[in-house]
Amino acid sequence: MYEKLHELEDKIGYTFKNFKHLRRSMTHSSYANEYRIQKIYNNERLEFLGDAVLEIVTSDYLFATYPNHREGDLTKMRASIVCEQTLALAANDIDLGSYILLGKGEEKTGGRHRASVVSDAMEALIGALYLDGGLESAKAFITKYILKDIKNKQLFYDSKTILQEVVQSDYTGELVYEVIGEMGPDHDKRFIVEARVGDEVIGTGHGRTKKAAEQEAAYNALMKTQQDE
């Protein structure tokens, strides 16, 4: 277990002075319950702290980087960066799910790959970095792993809205999303969705919920539209 967490330290380029902060950030409530660890020692408190740190660092970055953007635009950009799905994508870049300590039940039901679990762990890790190394350590991590590809994050976050506008402008038919398949057992199901205009399939997406699959289908449709242009 400790060897695995040291591997995570190497991956993110930070060695914890107090290793307990890292271990707690990776301790899911299901693991704490199974091993009868006090609730305050799971990662939920660190998640609370990390969420606040992420918001202030992201706000500071956007405020400095986009001096001509209005408050509403900055708020929308921040929401696209700190939402569950984009945090989960950032977590996937460092395979964070493989380091989370999960209870057997949560493990069995696919928790290691669930967006809500890995995004919460990402925020908890930020909280642990803040406690252990201060704001600069947390800021360095956020800048490296989260504050990148902002245009793509915003496009992904707004993909369904943007695609609807594109379809209204460039197509004569109506945009619909259709579930064309399901994969996996009931406790770890993935949906396959097509974005269609009439008989034309303009994008396909996969997700653990129909909404997530629709969002990915819309994003892929927009990417295809850009490539065609």
Side-chain angles (χ1 to χ4, degrees):
M1 178 200 307
Y2 290 110
E3 183 178 338
K4 188 76 173 172
L5 292 180
H6 285 308
E7 181 185 300
L8 177 58
E9 287 183 312
D10 292 340
K11 186 174 283 187
I12 66 174
Y14 182 87
T15 301
F16 279 79
K17 296 182 280 290
N18 185 343
F19 193 72
K20 289 180 180 178
H21 293 322
L22 176 59
R23 177 182 162 84
R24 188 176 297 183
S25 73
M26 293 297 106
T27 301
H28 189 260
S29 58
S30 63
Y31 183 92
N33 292 338
E34 191 168 301
Y35 289 92
R36 303 194 179 190
I37 299 170
Q38 290 185 28
K39 287 184 178 180
I40 61 169
Y41 295 120
N42 65 32
N43 67 1
E44 290 174 354
R45 282 169 53 84
L46 283 175
E47 176 201 336
F48 165 80
L49 179 62
D51 175 65
V53 174
L54 174 61
E55 187 142 324
I56 186 63
V57 170
T58 302
S59 299
D60 180 64
Y61 173 84
L62 294 175
F63 185 85
T65 306
Y66 301 95
N68 297 320
H69 281 43
R70 297 189 301 179
E71 181 267 345
D73 296 327
L74 295 174
T75 298
K76 193 174 181 181
M77 290 177 75
R78 183 178 63 197
S80 72
I81 293 168
V82 304
C83 75
E84 179 182 291
Q85 285 182 292
T86 50
L87 279 181
L89 290 173
N92 289 341
D93 288 342
I94 55 173
D95 193 23
L96 191 65
S98 68
Y99 301 100
I100 302 172
L101 302 173
L102 292 173
K104 292 175 185 175
E106 188 69 26
E107 178 83 61
K108 188 176 179 181
T109 57
R112 196 169 296 283
H113 306 290
R114 191 172 295 126
S116 59
V117 173
V118 294
S119 62
D120 288 350
M122 194 72 162
E123 290 180 331
L125 180 56
I126 292 168
L129 286 163
Y130 175 77
L131 279 184
D132 196 78
L135 183 60
E136 286 308 308
S137 295
K139 184 177 180 179
F141 176 83
I142 293 167
T143 301
K144 183 175 182 180
Y145 293 107
I146 299 175
L147 296 178
K148 62 178 185 177
D149 297 329
I150 288 178
K151 281 187 72 174
N152 269 340
K153 282 185 170 71
Q154 204 168 8
L155 183 63
F156 182 79
Y157 181 75
D158 291 331
S159 56
K160 291 182 70 175
T161 301
I162 296 171
L163 182 61
Q164 184 67 50
E165 293 171 354
V166 169
V167 169
Q168 288 175 347
S169 173
D170 298 343
Y171 292 81
T172 56
E174 181 184 354
L175 173 64
V176 296
Y177 295 94
E178 182 180 345
V179 177
I180 61 165
E182 299 178 8
M183 300 184 298
D186 288 341
H187 64 262
D188 191 23
K189 195 174 292 295
R190 292 180 68 86
F191 296 92
I192 308 168
V193 166
E194 287 181 345
R196 292 173 170 269
V197 178
D199 294 330
E200 182 183 356
V201 178
I202 60 173
T204 304
H206 300 72
R208 296 187 182 278
T209 65
K210 292 176 185 178
K211 182 179 178 181
E214 288 175 0
Q215 188 172 20
E216 185 175 289
Y219 178 75
N220 288 334
L222 291 170
M223 291 295 98
K224 184 175 182 295
T225 300
Q226 289 183 358
Q227 289 171 359
D228 291 343
E229 289 174 356

